[in-house]
Amino acid sequence: MQTELSKKLGVEHALFGFTPFPAVVAAISRAGGFGVLGAVRYTAPDDLKRDLDWIEAHVDGMPYGLDVVMPAKKVEGVTEADVEAMIPEGHRQYVKDTLAKYGVPELAEGEASGWRITGWMEQVARNQLDVAFDYPIKLLANALGSPPADVIQRAHDQNVLVAALAGSARHARKHAEAGIDIVVAQGYEAGGHTGDIASMVLTPEVVEAVDPLPVLAAGGIGSGQQMAAALTLGAQGVWLGSIWLTVTEADMHSRALTRKLLAAGSGDTVRSRALTGKPARQLRTEWTDAWDDPNGPGTLPMPLQGLLVADAVSRIQRHEVEPLLGTPVGQIVGRMNSERSVQEVVDDLTRDFEKAVDRLNRIAGRSHE
């Protein structure tokens, strides 16, 4: 599965895998794809350095990249404490009441809660980049659009390609004008923050809008047939995230959550503001239902919602309270019905891609059989 972009990056398959797990990043790259480490949870630079050291030791010299969450516009002088102070007391009480309703225990004394959503703050991302640019990363992706101009220039000075996610052709054009190298067209079906346009419509619109920049298709892709469709629509590769959540290398820390993912169908996700304050596709749970309940207080805008629920989400995950337990995931979760290694996933994807291409060749009368 070779395209001009995959050849430029030196990978066997034009298959880009986004994941928060270092072991999955390395395994994707070793399997012939391009692993991309999600950095938003690394609020401490030393933790990112530790995991990049691990990837370097296990990637067998294959290329990989980093994904950050960095706003294009800088906000001066705002601290996490300033943002915390903006959260209404009524919303805090709603969190307490919901957790009490389901009997969610507190964290053990001295046990730290999980990462807080501070990666939206520019300085956090800049600290991550100060670490990452000491490593031979080949791609820098930004989930919030185009990075600031000086970051794009810094990446280009180090021969690092820059990618940005887009949910519309209008967003994609802005990325092209900003000087990025790759647009990731992320459709409505995708996990995490998504727009309103489905991949089948979005991908060709973005391809046309930014030509000749390469486009990666994202959202609702979890089979070789879907990868072939993406390339037929003009993409130069695919960007996959959700499918890696149930691979054997993924460190989910929760067997209960893995079971829920394996049992879920494609209709068991919802775009909800419950996690971050922006619409993000995730497993539908009684937690998302509570925040979407018209009788509740409603969600707060980003980043207030993320800070409001950070400790609660940590408690739900730590104690595996199944009715409330969820994670960002795309509609492709309906195909994630068995635990496989990364290599097995890549083998299945590429094998089915070849079958799909052969089928198209037969339809076009180009079969050599």
Side-chain angles (χ1 to χ4, degrees):
M1 185 177 163
Q2 288 259 306
T3 64
E4 183 180 341
L5 179 59
S6 67
K7 292 174 182 176
K8 183 175 184 177
L9 287 168
V11 295
E12 183 179 359
H13 307 302
L15 187 163
F16 294 73
F18 163 79
T19 175
F21 306 119
V24 180
V25 171
I28 292 169
S29 291
R30 289 198 309 268
F34 189 100
V36 181
L37 179 67
V40 69
R41 65 192 178 99
Y42 292 99
T43 53
D46 286 346
D47 291 342
L48 178 59
K49 182 179 186 303
R50 176 200 65 215
D51 283 356
L52 288 175
D53 283 339
W54 191 94
I55 290 172
E56 272 292 300
H58 293 85
V59 80
D60 292 350
M62 302 306 293
Y64 62 94
L66 189 77
D67 178 280
V68 297
V69 177
M70 193 172 198
K73 295 181 180 179
K74 189 171 185 175
V75 180
E76 297 281 2
V78 178
T79 67
E80 183 177 328
D82 294 331
V83 178
E84 287 267 15
M86 298 169 64
I87 297 174
E89 183 56 37
H91 281 73
R92 295 186 187 278
Q93 187 62 49
Y94 188 69
V95 170
K96 293 177 183 177
D97 292 345
T98 304
L99 295 177
K101 175 182 177 181
Y102 290 90
V104 182
E106 298 279 354
L107 295 175
E109 186 175 350
E111 182 178 1
S113 64
W115 65 275
R116 301 173 68 79
I117 299 174
T118 53
W120 65 276
M121 300 178 74
E122 180 177 341
Q123 192 54 51
V124 173
R126 287 188 178 275
N127 291 341
Q128 293 166 348
L129 294 178
D130 287 340
V131 172
F133 281 133
D134 286 336
Y135 292 81
I137 62 171
K138 299 299 182 184
L139 176 71
L140 172 65
N142 189 34
L144 284 184
S146 303
D150 68 296
V151 172
I152 296 174
Q153 186 60 55
R154 184 180 179 187
H156 287 166
D157 288 344
Q158 297 193 207
N159 295 316
V160 175
L161 297 181
V162 180
L165 275 66
S168 71
R170 179 175 60 86
H171 292 155
R173 290 189 193 97
K174 288 184 177 180
H175 297 338
E177 292 166 1
I180 64 95
D181 306 292
I182 303 166
V183 175
V184 180
Q186 179 170 273
Y188 171 82
E189 308 95 324
H193 296 129
T194 66
D196 299 310
I197 306 173
S199 298
M200 182 66 74
V201 175
L202 179 66
T203 302
E205 285 187 354
V206 171
V207 168
E208 181 177 348
V210 302
D211 182 60
L213 286 183
V215 172
L216 300 177
I221 301 173
S223 72
Q225 295 91 338
Q226 290 163 323
M227 294 199 307
L231 268 61
T232 302
L233 294 172
Q236 285 202 30
V238 295
W239 178 274
L240 310 179
S242 297
I243 198 169
W244 313 112
L245 291 174
T246 53
V247 295
T248 54
E249 294 91 343
D251 189 9
M252 288 292 284
H253 298 296
S254 172
R255 291 303 303 170
L257 181 54
T258 298
R259 288 194 300 270
K260 290 187 76 170
L261 288 168
L262 294 173
S266 56
D268 292 329
T269 69
V270 63
R271 282 174 79 238
S272 171
R273 298 177 184 269
L275 187 60
T276 68
K278 290 182 67 176
R281 186 171 297 285
Q282 53 203 280
L283 277 182
R284 181 176 181 178
T285 66
E286 293 182 35
W287 178 255
T288 63
D289 286 348
W291 285 103
D292 293 336
D293 187 340
N295 295 318
T299 56
L300 297 170
M302 187 180 191
L304 300 182
Q305 182 72 14
L307 290 170
L308 169 67
V309 305
D311 289 344
V313 170
S314 294
R315 288 167 58 185
I316 292 166
Q317 293 175 342
R318 173 66 181 83
H319 297 291
E320 297 192 322
V321 183
E322 292 206 30
L324 306 179
L325 189 62
T327 184
V329 68
Q331 290 180 330
I332 199 62
V333 70
R335 297 187 65 95
M336 295 157 49
N337 47 27
S338 66
E339 291 185 81
R340 297 173 290 167
S341 68
V342 166
Q343 185 66 63
E344 287 173 320
V345 170
V346 172
D347 287 346
D348 288 344
L349 290 170
T350 53
R351 185 183 307 113
D352 288 344
F353 172 80
E354 291 178 1
K355 290 178 180 178
V357 171
D358 287 344
R359 186 181 308 116
L360 289 174
N361 282 332
R362 287 195 299 273
I363 291 171
R366 295 173 181 171
S367 175
H368 297 292
E369 294 179 2

